[in-house]
Amino acid sequence: IQHCFTEGVGARTVSDFDLAGLNQEGLQALCSRFAIDSRNLESAYPMSPLQEGMLFESLRHEERGVYITQLLLTLPADVDRKCLQGAWEDVIAAFPILRTGFSLGEGAEALQTVMKCVSFALENVDWQDANTEEKAKRLESLIETRKKLGFDFTDAPLMSAVHVLWSEDESKLLWTHHHALIDGWSLPQVFDALTNAYRARLNGHSTSLPYSAPYEHYIRWLVTVPYTQLTLPTNYPVETTEGAVTA
């Protein structure tokens, strides 16, 4: 028993990832190909059809930053960067989808892989000395560069954040992430959690963000519900056998 609790001992098996459809050899190959430590692998499961479509288009048009989503926030200048860094780490720990990457191996089903721990670094720049015109050019360049840079889909987190000290009174936060992870309905939850974690750290309190239900729950439901039970709304346009579209 003592041996089992020794740090570094043990490994994950296929029974831990029943949705992935892997045998032990396949799991080992997955970890080897994408340099994944199986002990840091929290979960592995299929993508949704929507995610697959987004990633396909992103890979097809890498130079255009397809499905790369960006938000630019204006903040006070006196933001505590250390607390902001810690708050992002708290949010990533609370939301499994933010610790998710995608394995896109040839000849194998594409999977999303959730890591227990990932590295994230808030980038900080100071543009206070630049004039207004120069700052505007730099910001436009930063936004465009980050969008075209994209992400290595196998390396979570598929997001970056840059804090720009803009003036004595103002700063900017540019958050870039892939749309396959988060939709617009989820953004308020992420920013509420970020705000709560930042305030807690700023006041010297421990953060205790509620753990977000993993996206895996939806995928598990999706793969277990028979297709015949997935019904459309009654007013949804449906193509008939004759090719006409009715509502």
Side-chain angles (χ1 to χ4, degrees):
I1 294 177
Q2 182 178 357
H3 170 76
C4 294
F5 281 96
T6 303
E7 185 176 354
V9 170
R12 309 303 297 274
T13 66
V14 292
S15 62
D16 296 313
F17 315 114
D18 60 305
L19 289 178
L22 297 171
N23 56 26
Q24 193 63 32
E25 185 178 274
L27 176 59
Q28 292 172 349
L30 172 73
C31 293
S32 176
R33 177 166 186 169
F34 298 106
I36 298 172
D37 182 347
S38 66
R39 292 168 297 184
N40 190 37
L41 185 59
E42 181 174 302
S43 190
Y45 54 94
M47 301 181 200
S48 70
L50 182 59
Q51 286 177 309
E52 289 184 341
M54 287 180 178
L55 292 181
F56 174 81
E57 291 299 326
S58 292
L59 292 170
R60 186 183 178 192
H61 304 290
E62 288 185 272
E63 72 286 351
R64 290 165 49 190
V66 175
Y67 288 116
I68 299 295
T69 302
Q70 295 176 295
L71 286 91
L72 181 65
L73 307 179
T74 298
L75 306 174
D78 61 352
V79 167
D80 187 309
R81 291 177 169 183
K82 184 177 180 180
C83 289
L84 185 57
Q85 164 74 36
W88 273 118
E89 293 173 354
D90 294 335
V91 170
I92 291 171
F95 289 84
I97 196 66
L98 297 182
R99 291 179 272 111
T100 298
F102 300 94
S103 64
L104 305 171
E106 297 179 3
E109 182 180 9
L111 297 173
Q112 42 194 332
T113 50
V114 185
M115 300 295 106
K116 294 178 181 177
C117 300
V118 296
S119 298
F120 176 80
L122 173 69
E123 299 179 51
N124 297 290
V125 294
D126 187 343
W127 293 350
Q128 290 184 94
D129 294 338
N131 60 42
T132 302
E133 183 179 355
E134 176 61 23
K135 284 189 283 192
K137 289 180 180 179
R138 290 183 186 181
L139 183 59
E140 182 180 358
S141 176
L142 176 64
I143 292 172
E144 187 66 19
T145 299
R146 287 309 169 103
K147 185 172 185 178
K148 290 184 177 180
L149 181 63
F151 299 100
D152 174 358
F153 290 121
T154 66
D155 189 17
L158 306 184
M159 57 172 278
S160 67
V162 183
H163 182 254
V164 181
L165 195 53
W166 192 262
S167 67
E168 291 183 358
D169 305 313
E170 184 179 305
S171 66
K172 307 283 187 183
L173 179 66
L174 176 65
W175 181 37
T176 304
H177 62 276
H178 200 277
H179 193 32
L181 301 181
I182 308 172
D183 61 11
W185 295 100
S186 305
L187 293 177
Q189 298 179 50
V190 174
F191 281 110
D192 281 349
L194 182 67
T195 301
N196 291 336
Y198 175 79
R199 287 174 176 168
R201 286 179 171 271
L202 194 63
N203 293 321
H205 301 152
S206 60
T207 55
S208 56
L209 295 178
Y211 187 74
S212 175
Y215 189 63
E216 181 180 3
H217 289 183
Y218 166 70
I219 298 297
R220 184 174 296 279
W221 172 84
L222 192 65
V223 301
T224 54
V225 174
Y227 179 77
T228 54
Q229 294 184 20
L230 299 176
T231 58
L232 294 173
T234 55
N235 63 342
Y236 194 86
V238 178
E239 186 174 350
T240 67
T241 55
E242 290 78 19
V245 176
T246 62

